[in-house]
């Protein structure tokens, strides 16, 4: 499996992924440092809001309602 993830690297060289990843066992990774500053967490969340906005509709709530009902 090849997966591309966004991350930021701080001034000390620590890498922080912007989303969780589960790989099951140790894996090799390649790190590409881009020639642009990283986004702050708040900026990244605001950019995601428009992409996820389509899920915030009554039709979506109804479609997933069965997952919220106690058994």
């Amino acid at each position: 499996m090849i997966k591309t993830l966004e991350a930021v690297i701080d001034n000390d060289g620590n890498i922080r992924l912007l989303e969780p990843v589960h790989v099951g066992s140790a894996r090799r990774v390649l790190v590409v440092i881009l020639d642009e500053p990283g986004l702050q967490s708040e900026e990244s969340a605001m950019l995601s809001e428009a992409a996820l906005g389509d899920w915030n509709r009554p039709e979506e709530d109804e479609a997933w309602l069965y997952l919220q009902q106690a058994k």
Side-chain angles (χ1 to χ4, degrees):
M1 164 185 77
I2 296 177
K3 182 173 177 130
T4 301
L5 301 168
E6 187 175 1
V8 292
I9 185 169
D10 64 21
N11 291 339
D12 296 324
N14 299 308
I15 297 172
R16 182 176 52 87
L17 297 174
L18 297 181
E19 64 183 80
V21 62
H22 304 284
V23 294
S25 62
R27 297 282 192 256
R28 292 179 356 152
V29 299
L30 300 174
V31 177
V32 176
I33 299 175
L34 303 174
D35 192 24
E36 58 187 53
L39 294 175
Q40 299 297 322
S41 301
E42 301 81 27
E43 292 177 276
S44 182
M46 290 176 66
L47 291 173
S48 299
E49 187 175 4
L52 297 173
D54 190 48
W55 289 80
N56 192 18
R57 299 180 299 151
E59 300 86 24
E60 289 296 331
D61 291 341
E62 185 177 337
W64 297 97
L65 185 61
Y66 74 97
L67 293 174
Q68 299 173 6
Q69 296 173 346
K71 293 184 178 183

